[in-house]
Amino acid sequence: MSPGCRSLSLTFFSLTYRRLCTWRSLTSKAALCSSASTVPPPPPPAAAARRRLSRSAHPPGPMELKEVLQVLEQLAPLSLAESWDNVGLLVEPSEPRPVNTVLLTNDLTDAVMGEAEAMGCDLVVSYHPPLFRPVKRLVQSDWKQKLVIRALEARMAIFSPHTSWDSVKGGVNDWLVGGLGSGQVCVLSQAVGGASQSHKLEFTVTSAEELSGVMEELKACDGESTLQHSVNRPDNGGVHVSVTCSDSALTPSVQTLLRHNAASLSLSILKLEKPPLPGRGQGRLIVLDQPVTVATAVQKMKSHLGLSHLRLALGRGQTPESSVRSAAACAGSGASVLRGVKADLYITGEMSHHEVLDAVEEGTGVILSDHSNSERGFLAVFREKLAVRLPDSVTVAVSKADRDPLEVV
């Protein structure tokens, strides 16, 4: 935190200085809090100036596709996406044109593609990847492949962030759970860093000469990365060595050490855990500052999602007037992330009949909005985040044709 301001005489300059210190102290405390409130503090007076500076960082005029992609990945690193997902640049024209217009959509459908073509869109950011499974051919008979062909013919790029937006701090899941109000928020399924060194090999060699030879052989096993090692000399004259290596280098490194008698007899292998990434991961759990009733929670989520109807299952023993102090949320189809989480309420897009029954039996209420309705509202939030990082000449729009295929009739 910022150091406290010293006592100053009550002059115009001292008042200004104290106000500045108070602002810095408040923002520092918020940054240090491990569980962030869903309601951010008001921006400082210089916020507008910072936005102008952010825009002016790039010269006026259109941006190259690769430059826009860099901004997108800064906002939500693709490394945060789930291993099963298909994220990133999915369609790249052979001669991509400069980016003047970016269209954000939850799903790329025929109606959305028509909208993109009409506005001369250069880049479509589709939250759900329109290409998910391997494609063996591009033909007109498959509606998704047809959209890809239209994009290529129009020299239009397609990018999908999907679960990287879910995982990132301030992303889809933080937005979704924030519909209930302010509170202490934590991640349900913690994201971890992608450390390249994943194993530690510990062994003993008889001399410095042998150590030099062994290390040369190990370096040949892990040529793509730098081996990290430390050495300790015990009283018996042997040399104890600790080496970290990547997954790909583990097997050849072990085979190398087994060829050396002293090393093979003393070898131990430790699996290194990847470091957690605070605030990042799938799903969110909120403990509300002010508890609400189930009925109030429903109304809040209707307003937050812009929907006139939601589906509600009351947990065993609950009534519409039961208190909700904690809620777990996961955008889209969230049952696998929410399963087993202790909360008064689950909020997600869709769950199967039996998954709802399991939650109800545990005394947890369930609010379902249908899949994409739990995600679509974040597009407007992301539009603001993206627009301030691009020059004024680049238009960032949210699709008007994008909608959930299901509706209440």
Side-chain angles (χ1 to χ4, degrees), residues 15-35:
L15 286 171
T16 303
Y17 184 71
R18 278 205 292 265
R19 287 170 182 164
L20 180 58
C21 288
T22 300
W23 169 250
R24 286 178 175 170
S25 176
L26 288 172
T27 53
S28 297
K29 287 177 181 177
L32 289 171
C33 181
S34 60
S35 299

Side-chain angles (χ1 to χ4, degrees), residues 20-342:
L20 180 58
C21 288
T22 300
W23 169 250
R24 286 178 175 170
S25 176
L26 288 172
T27 53
S28 297
K29 287 177 181 177
L32 289 171
C33 181
S34 60
S35 299
S37 169
T38 57
V39 179
R50 285 202 301 271
R51 285 195 292 269
R52 288 194 295 272
L53 285 173
S54 176
R55 284 185 178 274
S56 63
H58 189 278
M63 295 179 72
E64 295 300 318
L65 176 61
K66 63 181 180 180
E67 296 177 295
V68 180
L69 295 179
Q70 287 172 355
V71 174
L72 287 168
E73 294 189 34
Q74 288 167 3
L75 288 169
L78 297 178
S79 59
L80 294 176
E82 297 295 290
S83 60
W84 48 262
D85 207 354
N86 188 36
V87 296
L89 185 62
L90 304 185
V91 175
E92 180 181 14
S94 58
E95 295 183 8
R97 59 194 184 192
V99 176
N100 289 290
T101 305
V102 180
L103 182 64
L104 307 180
T105 184
N106 201 79
D107 293 290
L108 183 56
T109 60
D110 181 75
V112 173
M113 178 57 76
E115 181 183 17
E117 291 169 333
M119 64 193 303
C121 181
D122 309 297
L123 171 63
V124 174
V125 177
S126 177
Y127 169 76
H128 286 134
L131 291 176
F132 191 77
R133 295 179 178 84
V135 175
K136 293 184 177 181
R137 58 180 60 86
L138 288 175
V139 294
Q140 295 291 324
S141 58
D142 182 281
W143 71 272
K144 288 186 177 180
Q145 294 172 23
K146 188 175 180 179
L147 294 178
V148 171
I149 295 170
R150 288 169 65 181
L152 289 171
E153 290 174 343
R155 293 172 60 197
M156 188 186 306
I158 301 175
F159 176 91
S160 178
H162 203 200
T163 52
S164 65
W165 275 13
D166 295 347
S167 181
V168 74
K169 190 172 184 178
V172 177
N173 281 312
D174 282 309
W175 166 81
L176 180 61
V177 80
L180 285 182
S182 64
Q184 300 300 307
V185 178
C186 64
V187 174
L188 293 179
S189 180
Q190 181 67 59
V192 294
S196 59
Q197 308 294 56
S198 57
H199 294 86
K200 178 183 286 188
L201 309 178
E202 295 184 341
F203 56 91
T204 301
V205 293
T206 57
S207 65
E209 291 76 13
E210 184 181 10
L211 172 61
S212 178
V214 169
M215 291 306 301
E216 285 301 317
E217 293 180 48
L218 289 176
K219 288 177 183 177
C221 298
D222 201 11
E224 294 183 358
S225 61
T226 302
L227 281 175
Q228 301 175 10
H229 74 281
S230 60
V231 174
N232 178 45
R233 292 178 177 273
D235 294 338
N236 62 13
V239 181
H240 286 189
V241 186
S242 177
V243 175
T244 57
C245 71
S246 63
D247 269 330
S248 61
L250 178 60
T251 298
S253 295
V254 170
Q255 290 173 339
T256 294
L257 293 173
L258 292 179
R259 293 197 293 267
H260 296 265
N261 188 49
S264 65
L265 293 174
S266 58
L267 177 62
S268 65
I269 304 172
L270 301 175
K271 175 73 173 176
L272 301 179
E273 294 294 330
K274 294 181 179 180
L277 299 175
R280 298 163 179 82
Q282 299 301 315
R284 297 293 186 269
L285 175 68
I286 186 171
V287 178
L288 293 168
D289 292 334
Q290 297 294 330
V292 297
T293 65
V294 172
T296 299
V298 169
Q299 292 304 315
K300 280 178 169 286
M301 292 311 300
K302 282 183 180 180
S303 175
H304 187 59
L305 301 176
L307 300 174
S308 58
H309 295 85
L310 292 170
R311 290 188 289 166
L312 170 68
L314 290 170
R316 184 165 56 88
Q318 284 185 334
T319 71
E321 298 307 311
S322 295
S323 178
V324 174
R325 180 66 191 277
S326 61
C330 183
S333 182
S336 61
V337 175
L338 300 175
R339 186 178 297 115
V341 175
K342 297 297 182 184

